[in-house]
Structures are given as structure tokens and as C-alpha cells.
Amino acid sequence: MSGQACDAPPMTEQIPRRSTAVTPRGVNHLVLNVRDIEESHHFWSDLLGFQQVGELHPRSDGIPSMTMRFYSGVVDDVNHHDIALVEREGLPKPPDEWSMFDGVSAINHIAITYPDRASWLEQVQFLKEQGVKMNLRVNHGMTHSVYINDPNGYGVEVLYDLPEEVWMNDIDGALNYAQVLPEEQLLVDDTNYLTDFTKA
């Protein structure tokens, strides 16, 4: 019967042998150790918009219990979770200032994609009005981005993807292109996207 365990031994599946690794679809989810689960919940849920979809319950099967919550950012599709937070004692104090170029954290930054340009502008404006520090505003060749940081010192890139035709013919060029904008141009977003990165 479906859903019930049976006593029959498992079948041996014939798996093709490969000489090279399988290319993955992408990163499934990210788990972050945090100092204060409530503080981090506020950042990732209330400020960045991720929805909490679950949390670990106390266990009695010998597997250690953890304070752990799961979050999803999917809008039009279904996903179990994108981010998980684990409260962990003894984490080092975050630096006073986040830097992409000089930071010593094991994680440089985490990139969060918003659905489109309009929602990104609304989100950046919301973060600014909530008093979130804007560390860096950059137009990349494939995204337009703002860099902030969470309470644990992890850098977070808030972005929207530019249309594929902008960058798909020269991904390396798009990755190497960066236009840093001053803070007063935080919400200035030029849609005359550069497509020839050899002239940048």
C-alpha cells in the first residue's frame, strides 16, 4: 500500500557510469549560522520579504535538535525553502563596516533576486525608509544591485536581472563590468543597458 514500509529488499538500480561531473541546476538553498534567530528573522523576513515556511521541532530519535527556521522567496512557483537560519552560540561579532573588497568573512555576499525592475526599485526604497544602510550601489552588466548587510555581517546583494539579450552573448564581459553610483543616485536606474562590454 502506498505510504507504508514493506519488507522486500530494495532493487539494485542500474546507474550509468560517467567520466565527468553532472552539471547542477543551481544552488538549492543556503543555511546561515546566526547569533540571534529573532534578529535575523526580522532582517530576512520583515525587511527582505522571505516567508517563513517551517522550523525544526524537538527530536527524540537521537539526532541533535537545533533552533532552525526555513524561508522561501518564491512568488509564482513552489519551493520548499531558499534560506535557512540556525541559531548558534559563539559566533564572532560582525565587523563594524561591511566591505566586499576587504572583508574577512567566509561568505563575501549572498545575492537575492527580485522579480523585476519595478519591484526592485520599490524594495530598495523600502529598505532605505526602514533605515537599512546602503553599502554600495552598482550597475553590473547582468544585474543592477544594491549591497547591504545582515546583523551577522553577511553581505547581501539586492538585485534585479537585466534582460538576457543584454548579457548572454558576453557573460564574462558582463561579469567584469561595474558602474558604481553615488548614494544620492540610489534610486536612479537607467534602462539604456550597455550590451557591448568591450567599449566599457
Side-chain angles (χ1 to χ4, degrees):
M1 183 179 295
S2 177
Q4 293 185 344
C6 61
D7 296 330
M11 297 288 290
T12 300
E13 185 175 350
Q14 296 299 313
I15 302 173
R17 300 182 68 90
R18 295 179 58 96
S19 59
T20 60
V22 176
T23 301
R25 289 183 59 191
V27 176
N28 186 275
H29 63 273
L30 179 69
V31 180
L32 298 174
N33 288 333
V34 301
R35 297 182 303 157
D36 184 323
I37 196 79
E38 297 299 342
E39 178 185 52
S40 291
H41 172 92
H42 171 68
F43 178 84
W44 289 97
S45 187
D46 299 335
L47 294 179
L48 287 184
F50 283 89
Q51 302 298 308
Q52 182 178 341
V53 294
E55 63 182 322
L56 283 189
H57 302 290
R59 306 186 70 99
S60 58
D61 56 2
I63 298 176
S65 297
M66 296 188 297
T67 301
M68 185 174 187
R69 297 180 186 175
F70 304 87
Y71 300 83
S72 176
V74 171
V75 175
D76 297 321
D77 202 349
V78 177
N79 189 34
H80 41 79
H81 69 296
D82 300 297
I83 297 280
L85 306 176
V86 177
E87 189 171 72
R88 188 62 48 86
E89 294 183 0
L91 293 181
K93 182 179 180 296
D96 294 331
E97 299 288 336
W98 177 85
S99 172
M100 181 190 298
F101 309 104
D102 301 320
V104 295
S105 172
I107 295 177
N108 186 289
H109 68 275
I110 304 150
I112 307 301
T113 306
Y114 285 84
D116 50 36
R117 178 179 180 272
S119 62
W120 175 80
L121 284 167
E122 292 175 10
Q123 175 64 19
V124 173
Q125 180 173 257
F126 170 76
L127 291 171
K128 182 69 172 177
E129 291 174 347
Q130 296 301 308
V132 176
K133 183 181 179 183
M134 306 287 119
N135 294 317
L136 195 62
R137 167 74 172 88
V138 182
N139 286 342
H140 296 289
M142 65 291 170
T143 70
H144 283 184
S145 307
V146 170
Y147 293 83
I148 61 177
N149 59 271
D150 89 327
N152 300 276
Y154 301 124
V156 177
E157 180 183 0
V158 175
L159 66 86
Y160 78 93
D161 280 315
L162 304 189
E164 286 187 5
E165 59 266 23
V166 171
W167 50 264
M168 66 184 303
N169 293 322
D170 187 5
I171 294 176
D172 186 68
L175 291 168
N176 278 278
Y177 176 76
Q179 177 192 22
V180 178
L181 300 181
E183 186 172 355
E184 57 266 24
Q185 295 185 29
L186 179 70
L187 295 171
V188 175
D189 189 58
D190 186 1
T191 57
N192 185 25
Y193 306 128
L194 183 72
T195 57
D196 185 355
F197 303 107
T198 63
K199 298 178 180 179

